[in-house]
Amino acid sequence: MKKVSIVKLFAVFLIVSLIAACQPATPPPAEPPAAETQPPAAPETQPPAEAKPVELTFVTWSYGVETIADNIKKFQERYPNITVTHKDYSWLEYHDTMVAAFAAENYPDLVYGSDHWLQEWASAGWLVPLEDHCPDVTAYSAELAPYALEGMTYEGKVYGLSYYADTMDFVYNEALLKKAGFDKAPETWDDVYNMAKALKEQGLQYPILMAWSQKEGAFPEAWTSMVFSQHEGPNALFDADLKPVFNKEGSAAYQIMEWLVKVYNEGLFNPASLTTAEIDQVKAMQAGQAAFTIFPQYNMAEVNKPGSGEYASQFKIALMPGKSHATVGYVRFYAMTPGAVNKGPEYVDAACKFLHYFGGKTDGEYVVVKRWAVENGLGFAQLPLYQDPDVIAAFSAWGDVPTIEQQAKLARAKEGLTTWYGAWDVFARAEIHKAILGEIPIMDALNNMANKWLELAQ
């Protein structure tokens, strides 16, 4: 029995030794364990604060109000915290209505503005410079026609983003010219005179028609376009110190007045021009009652509208006849008032979003400006749109896009845009009429205009 126990003990010892030999070697001492780390705590997240609701008021003149409403609807869908209340007044009432509201400090937040009111409204503090409130608003400037940028700038600061910009265009009836033996557009005012004489000899009673009623807002712009086209460079009407230079014999203004008196006296210029409004001008052109006129470019879509008459599609734009082919360009724009600023940063931010959406780019495109151009034929200040296929297709239905673009680049803002320009403009209309009708000599009319300017400037 004792012998068996010894054998068992030896067997147990042998098994234990074998098991020990099969264990892995002892690992090297480990580095002191690093302090126990915890995964970074997730930042304490707060749900984004909901933008506060903002109600903007927006006042325009009465054009395309259904399109405006639809644009506002789309804007509100993009910015659901912003509500826009829109109100409109007729163009004829707009300036005085807004001035009365401004004077009473009853400011809408956003308004339509115009280049010929900018001096008056900005100097009174009724509009605020956009670049002081809206980031990146001046980034659009490099893409704007120079006349439009100038028309929205006051004392070096940009006050608007363009809603619409246009040029005063010289328009001719190509069918009537071909019938009279002319196969190209006139390039000078002498060309216009000679073609008008030929057309009259062939039976067209009054080849030249204007809408120069004294109440017609485009009258002084058309007259100024003629003066610009006959002048090289700036200072056709005023020098750098805003002193009149047009009342000199031989000036571009004098030459144009001589031409107007000549075509009136020879029965080439329809005398009804001095009482004609724009809508009647368009109808008369469509009826073939005249071969030449000057009007804002937006009328081209109407005169060439299919089915509008015998001469639909026959109306063409030529560069403004004259030495430089310059013309007047004008701009209407979106502007912000102190009303938005006084309400606080939320309103300013909302107003800036509105301005970028309506007058600037959305997702890299001038969405609203392009819509006005394609659907309504409105001109624009944003030069890249001349390369847009949709715009080219739309404008080609009534005009030649390269000529339109070239005229836009030659256009100039009106000279003398001051707080007293509007009053002088009204006075000048009557003096131009008197000279054309032969009631006073040309120099008397120009001197009266110059003296009135100096009187108003005091």
Side-chain angles (χ1 to χ4, degrees):
M1 185 71 183
K2 187 175 178 181
K3 185 178 179 180
V4 171
S5 297
I6 291 173
V7 171
K8 286 183 178 177
L9 286 172
F10 177 77
V12 169
F13 172 78
L14 182 61
I15 291 169
V16 170
S17 298
L18 287 172
I19 292 174
C22 293
Q23 293 299 314
T26 304
E31 292 290 333
E36 188 174 4
T37 57
Q38 299 291 331
E44 188 175 355
T45 55
Q46 298 287 340
E50 288 189 11
K52 293 181 180 177
V54 173
E55 296 182 6
L56 295 174
T57 51
F58 174 42
V59 178
T60 73
W61 50 80
S62 305
Y63 174 82
V65 291
E66 292 182 359
T67 302
I68 293 172
D70 192 57
N71 287 334
I72 289 173
K73 178 184 175 185
K74 290 181 167 63
F75 171 75
Q76 291 178 155
E77 289 171 353
R78 188 177 183 91
Y79 299 103
N81 68 307
I82 304 174
T83 302
V84 179
T85 301
H86 173 230
K87 191 167 187 177
D88 64 287
Y89 299 95
S90 79
W91 168 259
L92 295 177
E93 298 173 348
Y94 186 77
H95 171 270
D96 292 349
T97 301
M98 298 313 301
V99 167
F102 293 153
E105 298 189 355
N106 183 21
Y107 294 107
D109 300 309
L110 297 154
V111 297
Y112 274 178
S114 176
D115 51 5
H116 64 301
W117 302 328
L118 178 60
Q119 300 276 333
E120 175 192 12
W121 292 12
S123 64
W126 296 336
L127 302 180
V128 297
L130 297 187
E131 61 189 84
D132 287 356
H133 302 282
C134 299
D136 302 328
V137 74
T138 56
Y140 301 116
S141 298
E143 296 188 342
L144 300 179
Y147 75 84
L149 180 59
E150 183 179 346
M152 297 187 293
T153 302
Y154 173 72
E155 292 190 342
K157 292 198 172 185
V158 174
Y159 276 73
L161 284 183
S162 173
Y163 133 67
Y164 151 67
D166 218 342
T167 54
M168 296 299 296
D169 288 349
F170 181 85
V171 175
Y172 64 98
N173 184 322
E174 186 178 54
L176 291 180
L177 260 61
K178 285 183 176 178
K179 187 177 178 181
F182 300 104
D183 58 3
K184 66 176 186 177
E187 297 180 359
T188 67
W189 291 111
D190 284 343
D191 289 345
V192 179
Y193 169 77
N194 291 327
M195 291 181 183
K197 282 194 69 171
L199 286 160
K200 188 174 182 69
E201 289 169 2
Q202 295 181 28
L204 186 60
Q205 187 176 12
Y206 296 115
I208 304 167
L209 175 70
M210 301 291 181
W212 284 10
S213 158
Q214 290 197 32
K215 293 184 178 179
E216 182 55 55
F219 163 25
E221 292 172 339
W223 181 82
T224 304
S225 293
M226 298 177 71
V227 175
F228 280 7
S229 73
Q230 196 63 12
H231 182 84
E232 299 279 2
N235 306 123
L237 296 173
F238 305 98
D239 66 16
D241 296 321
L242 290 177
K243 297 291 190 296
V245 296
F246 53 80
N247 57 327
K248 297 176 181 175
E249 289 194 18
S251 70
Y254 186 88
Q255 293 175 46
I256 288 301
M257 289 305 302
E258 276 192 317
W259 187 91
L260 287 167
V261 170
K262 180 169 68 172
V263 295
Y264 177 83
N265 288 339
E266 295 188 21
L268 307 177
F269 183 92
N270 191 332
S273 296
L274 304 187
T275 56
T276 294
E278 189 175 321
I279 189 169
D280 295 323
Q281 174 193 30
V282 169
K283 291 179 179 177
M285 293 301 293
Q286 288 175 316
Q289 295 175 11
F292 303 115
T293 195
I294 298 172
F295 56 39
Q297 187 184 101
Y298 60 76
N299 285 312
M300 285 297 292
E302 179 63 26
V303 293
N304 276 330
K305 184 169 65 178
S308 61
E310 177 184 355
Y311 299 104
S313 81
Q314 295 298 318
F315 296 99
K316 310 294 182 186
I317 295 173
L319 295 181
M320 192 65 67
K323 295 178 181 177
S324 66
H325 302 300
T327 189
V328 165
Y330 58 91
V331 61
R332 313 296 184 233
F333 52 85
Y334 304 95
M336 189 194 306
T337 76
V341 177
N342 294 341
K343 291 174 185 173
E346 296 93 349
Y347 278 80
V348 172
D349 180 67
C352 292
K353 286 184 169 66
F354 178 98
L355 292 165
H356 279 289
Y357 183 85
F358 280 76
K361 291 181 178 178
T362 300
D363 299 329
E365 293 191 6
Y366 291 107
V367 175
V368 174
V369 178
K370 176 179 171 179
R371 179 179 185 182
W372 283 115
V374 171
E375 296 183 9
N376 293 59
L378 294 189
F380 45 81
Q382 293 81 357
L383 294 175
L385 285 177
Y386 283 111
Q387 312 307 319
D388 186 286
D390 296 332
V391 173
I392 291 172
F395 278 33
S396 295
W398 47 262
D400 177 60
V401 175
T403 302
I404 295 168
E405 182 178 8
Q406 187 178 1
Q407 188 65 90
K409 290 179 178 177
L410 290 169
R412 297 177 48 215
K414 292 188 289 289
E415 294 179 11
L417 288 175
T418 57
T419 54
W420 61 91
Y421 180 86
W424 177 78
D425 168 294
V426 171
F427 178 86
R429 300 177 196 191
E431 296 303 307
I432 293 168
H433 276 197
K434 291 176 189 173
I436 292 174
L437 293 169
E439 296 175 0
I440 58 175
I442 292 172
M443 278 309 302
D444 284 4
L446 296 178
N447 281 329
N448 290 342
M449 292 162 60
N451 292 335
K452 187 65 175 180
W453 177 270
L454 295 172
E455 173 192 327
L456 292 168
Q458 291 180 349

